[in-house]
Amino acid sequence: MSEVAVRERILETGVIAIIRGVEKESIGNVVDAIAAGGVEVIEITVDTPGAVEMIRQVSSEVGEDVLLGAGTVLDPETARAVQLAGADFIVTPTVDTEVIKVCNRYGMPAIVGVMTPTEALNATEAGADMCKLFPASTVGPDHVSAINGPLPQIPLVPTGGVSLDNASDFFEAGAVALGVGSSLVDTRAIEAGDYQTVTETASEFISLAEEHR
């Protein structure tokens, strides 16, 4: 999938499900449950044991049905490794220009972690496709509109503490998409084999995203 197509699909979906700490044996079921609820953009964080192999496995199983990203990417070597494993995009928690450079070199979109206007502008000028406002829960939805006031050209993806209770507020403040972790990828439900709960929550997030499109 082209870099432009990946960006457009993220924007169209409006929700990125973040999988962290899930066992390899469960990853296929978790991805299927999330996608069944309509969230077809999914990130597997590389601090999950065996993450690169999980990305390779999931990528081969889902094809283009799911847009697969790698999160918590901290260095250019990891960025290249996950791309070769099948990742369609990468997500970082901080601004690392070397990571962005590698992504640009190989045509892989990068969603780069920022908190301040300076970081957002620096990341964008370095070649970031979107900026992940992280951790969003510590600043709230108003921070989205505060950054987009002087910098309306920067697409912001709030992540960290996003839930069904505040998702609408983030969208209304100007978020182009949301990164959603534990409030969607429910560890207790997964451990209990209750994938239907995950699917239902994913569907609720998609409904909220569609309301603000």
Side-chain angles (χ1 to χ4, degrees):
M1 189 177 293
S2 72
E3 190 173 359
V4 171
V6 171
R7 287 198 300 266
E8 288 180 349
R9 191 164 178 187
I10 293 171
L11 295 175
E12 287 171 2
T13 304
V15 179
I16 303 171
I18 302 168
I19 298 176
R20 171 178 277 109
V22 170
E23 298 291 335
K24 185 178 180 180
E25 294 73 20
S26 303
I27 192 68
N29 289 330
V30 174
V31 169
D32 288 346
I34 294 169
V39 178
E40 297 177 349
V41 181
I42 298 174
E43 165 193 339
I44 298 175
T45 65
V46 297
D47 56 347
T48 298
V52 175
E53 287 306 313
M54 287 186 193
I55 290 169
R56 183 174 288 109
Q57 171 191 327
V58 172
S59 176
S60 66
E61 291 173 352
V62 301
E64 293 190 358
D65 291 340
V66 169
L67 196 64
L68 187 62
T72 319
V73 175
L74 301 177
D75 53 74
E77 294 80 9
T78 302
R80 183 59 172 153
V82 296
Q83 184 192 31
L84 291 172
D88 298 301
F89 64 95
I90 69 106
V91 183
T92 76
T94 59
V95 179
D96 187 312
T97 56
E98 291 303 311
V99 171
I100 298 171
K101 186 184 298 183
V102 166
C103 290
N104 289 340
R105 179 179 298 150
Y106 295 107
M108 182 168 60
I111 303 176
V112 177
V114 305
M115 176 58 78
T116 67
T118 298
E119 290 174 336
L121 186 59
N122 287 344
T124 301
E125 291 182 342
D129 295 87
M130 301 177 193
C131 288
K132 164 185 166 181
L133 184 62
F134 175 80
S137 60
T138 63
V139 289
D142 288 346
H143 201 60
V144 176
S145 53
I147 290 179
N148 275 160
L151 301 171
Q153 73 276 23
I154 296 180
L156 296 176
V157 182
T159 306
V162 175
S163 67
L164 289 170
D165 292 332
N166 60 26
S168 290
D169 293 334
F170 278 113
F171 279 126
E172 289 171 5
V176 299
L178 303 176
V180 187
S182 58
S183 62
L184 168 53
V185 189
D186 187 327
T187 303
R188 290 184 180 180
I190 292 168
E191 289 176 350
D194 180 13
Y195 297 109
Q196 184 59 35
T197 291
V198 176
T199 297
E200 291 171 357
T201 305
S203 180
E204 291 183 72
F205 272 106
I206 286 297
S207 294
L208 287 173
E210 289 174 347
E211 287 177 15
H212 295 85
R213 286 289 162 267

